[in-house]
Amino acid sequence: MPPHVSADRPAAQPPGRGSVDALITQTRRLKGDMDAVRQDTRSDAADPQGRWQRALCDLALHQLDDLDTHLAQLRDGPPPVPAAGPAPAAPVASRRESLLSRVGSAEWNLLTDEAAWSEELYGILGRDPAAPPLTLDELPALVLDEDRPKLTAMVTDCLIDARPIDGEFRVVRPDGERRTVHMMGEPVLDAEGGTTSMWAVLRDVSELRRSQRAVRESRDSLQHQRHLAQTEHRLAVEFQEAVLPPWRGSPRLPHQGPRSLDLAAHYLPAATTSRIGGDWYDALELADGQTLLSVGDLTGHGPTVTSTTAMLLGALRGMAMAGTHPAQLMSWLNQLLDATVQPALGSAVCCRYRPDTRTLMWAQAGHPVPLLFRDGTGRRLDAPEGVLLGATARAAYGQAEETLEEGDLLLLHTDGLAPADRLLGLAPRLDRARTAQECVRMVVEECGESERADDACVLVARVTR
């Protein structure tokens, strides 16, 4: 607590200037370093993380400013408090530029009902330096209504019970500006222990509290954003699990005949985001004994994209069950996606496999073509015409056919998995695999361990012998 200044109490001597000057130098060096960090901090209003970092930098600068102010006052000693009457006038500009302009002092004499304010206190409270200082009875007139009981209680405790003052209240300056003031003080007692006056230091902490509030609000905003992201992720996962076939095993076709397909699939989430993307795969046994195989990818992440994926898969299954061929499926899916409330782009491959002739009919919409592995070698199937789903309402889609053989392996994937050449390089290993599940495991071991930038799906169909 700073010492009292009165006629019969000599002012305390300031501490050694050398050590305090060294602390001031270090503080100002830290302020320079902190300001450089602040300049490098992102200030994008749409980025909660950046706002939080920026607010912390501002708070640190305000804390260092306050430390600089207090060290300077410690070095120079407390400002003199006039005996009575108005404080001498000083130019407003010089008061604002003063390093100590945020710290003022006052003394209220209970015996004479006189008050003495420092020049800085006039500036903090926005009072005319030519006006007389306010008495303790007049001071609450500057304070916000809801903070007056707090000030009254602090002053009463100090004057009646001789307790030190340490608290904050908000004032309204004559120009209408609100400021937050931190007051620390203590009573001055006579020889009999009675209170004769009250001495206090008042500090304008408005900027400091504003920075603390900005940190708190930006932190809360960041936590809210994280909570929303977690909620979105949970919803997207629930959507995905409800829509896609199980990816921790083989999709099952309940009525597989002697010339059926051995199927396996896997979904690989991105390593750089917790949000679920629009990648999907599907395998469906149709009423005529044929099998529908498809993979696709919608742009974006989160529940909206997952719900659109569910809509497309539902439409795809329904149309396929009605006997629609792949090229027509692509055309109708394109129209459906183009007509959605929230436009999106997507790519897809749709295959219809006829087991009695081992014929594969397929179409694609801006998607990586299926890879065919046979006798230890692999190749890309020749792609029919087809643009991205949702790109244009009147797109035309071609259709291709391929005759498969016993032991052939068909690999469908989304573009986030790996380049086709890398997948084709697995041909010798895939040829030695006994099941489609082993093939998928080899693909995941080769392509799934890296830091993946996007989600991916792989679907393997093996023609059984």
Side-chain angles (χ1 to χ4, degrees):
M1 176 68 63
H4 301 302
V5 179
S6 64
D8 56 351
R9 296 191 312 281
Q13 297 300 314
R17 295 179 62 91
S19 59
V20 177
D21 283 339
L23 289 174
I24 292 174
T25 300
Q26 293 179 21
T27 300
R28 294 177 180 176
R29 185 182 300 116
L30 280 174
K31 286 169 61 179
D33 294 342
M34 192 67 246
D35 187 61
V37 172
R38 180 183 180 276
Q39 296 299 324
D40 292 337
T41 303
R42 296 169 296 177
S43 58
D44 184 1
D47 177 17
Q49 180 76 21
R51 292 201 306 271
W52 179 68
Q53 292 173 344
R54 187 84 168 189
L56 280 178
C57 289
D58 290 339
L59 177 60
L61 281 173
H62 285 308
Q63 297 277 21
L64 288 171
D65 280 341
D66 279 345
L67 179 60
D68 191 355
T69 297
H70 298 326
L71 287 173
Q73 189 170 18
L74 181 65
R75 176 192 62 192
D76 300 334
V81 178
V92 174
S94 65
R95 290 204 307 273
R96 290 178 178 173
E97 294 170 359
S98 172
L99 188 64
L100 304 177
S101 61
R102 293 195 302 272
V103 181
S105 60
E107 185 167 6
W108 289 275
N109 192 311
L110 303 182
L111 302 180
T112 63
D113 201 28
E114 294 177 331
W117 285 10
S118 70
E119 175 187 342
E120 291 78 17
L121 184 55
Y122 277 90
I124 291 172
L125 299 181
R127 300 281 296 176
D128 182 359
L134 299 180
T135 66
L136 283 177
D137 291 334
E138 297 170 330
L139 184 63
L142 299 180
V143 180
L144 286 180
D145 291 344
E146 54 264 39
D147 288 356
R148 286 177 187 171
K150 183 190 305 183
L151 175 62
T152 301
M154 289 192 298
V155 172
T156 301
D157 288 344
C158 180
L159 299 181
I160 302 302
D161 300 326
R163 295 181 183 176
I165 290 177
D166 187 353
E168 290 184 9
F169 51 87
R170 291 165 296 172
V171 300
V172 180
R173 293 157 52 115
D175 59 5
E177 183 182 5
R178 293 186 179 188
R179 309 296 290 180
T180 301
V181 177
H182 181 213
M183 183 166 72
M184 298 181 67
E186 58 185 29
V188 179
L189 307 178
D190 58 19
E192 288 76 25
T195 303
T196 61
S197 63
M198 189 183 82
W199 185 92
V201 170
L202 295 95
R203 183 166 64 113
D204 185 347
V205 295
S206 304
E207 296 301 322
L208 181 62
R209 297 298 176 256
R210 187 175 296 116
S211 292
Q212 290 173 333
R213 185 168 57 253
V215 169
R216 183 173 61 254
E217 291 174 352
S218 59
R219 180 196 60 208
D220 293 343
S221 174
L222 181 60
Q223 291 175 343
H224 179 64
Q225 290 293 106
R226 288 174 175 169
H227 176 71
L228 287 179
Q230 292 171 352
T231 302
E232 284 189 358
H233 180 264
R234 177 178 54 80
L235 290 175
V237 169
E238 291 177 356
F239 265 131
Q240 190 182 64
E241 291 177 346
V243 172
L244 295 185
W247 55 271
R248 299 183 186 275
S250 300
R252 296 179 179 179
L253 302 180
H255 303 104
Q256 298 184 61
R259 291 185 174 182
S260 60
L261 296 175
D262 176 21
L263 300 174
H266 198 82
Y267 176 88
L268 297 92
T272 56
T273 178
S274 61
R275 303 184 70 190
I276 299 296
D279 290 64
W280 51 270
Y281 65 87
D282 196 20
L284 178 66
E285 190 173 38
L286 305 175
D288 58 5
Q290 298 186 38
T291 301
L292 176 73
L293 304 175
S294 63
V295 296
D297 182 13
L298 289 181
T299 57
H301 298 81
T304 300
V305 172
T306 311
S307 63
T308 304
T309 301
M311 176 192 68
L312 287 182
L313 275 176
L316 177 65
R317 291 167 179 171
M319 290 186 291
M321 290 295 290
T324 308
H325 285 186
Q328 186 62 62
L329 278 174
M330 290 291 103
S331 178
W332 286 346
L333 287 180
N334 175 66
Q335 295 180 33
L336 179 62
L337 194 60
D338 181 68
T340 55
V341 176
Q342 295 183 338
L345 291 176
S347 66
V349 163
C350 181
C351 305
R352 192 178 181 105
Y353 176 68
R354 183 175 178 178
D356 57 346
T357 61
R358 296 198 178 95
T359 302
L360 185 77
M361 293 184 298
W362 69 284
Q364 65 86 26
H367 197 86
V369 300
L371 306 180
L372 178 61
F373 296 86
R374 179 180 294 167
D375 298 329
T377 62
R379 65 179 176 88
R380 301 175 181 86
L381 298 186
D382 295 331
E385 180 183 5
V387 299
L388 287 171
L389 300 174
T392 176
R394 300 184 180 275
Y397 294 88
Q399 185 169 290
E401 290 191 7
E402 188 77 25
T403 300
L404 304 182
E405 299 178 2
E406 292 183 1
D408 281 356
L409 190 74
L410 191 69
L411 190 151
L412 311 180
H413 67 96
T414 55
D415 59 4
L417 182 64
D421 290 341
R422 184 176 176 186
L423 295 171
L424 291 173
L426 295 175
R429 294 173 57 191
L430 296 177
D431 188 56
R432 295 191 295 269
R434 294 174 295 176
T435 65
Q437 189 64 49
E438 287 185 25
C439 295
V440 167
R441 185 161 50 248
M442 292 177 184
V443 172
V444 172
E445 289 174 354
E446 176 67 22
C447 308
E449 300 300 328
S450 60
E451 289 296 315
R452 171 173 315 287
D454 196 6
D455 298 12
C457 287
V458 57
L459 172 63
V460 169
R462 182 171 173 268
V463 181
T464 56
R465 300 182 184 276

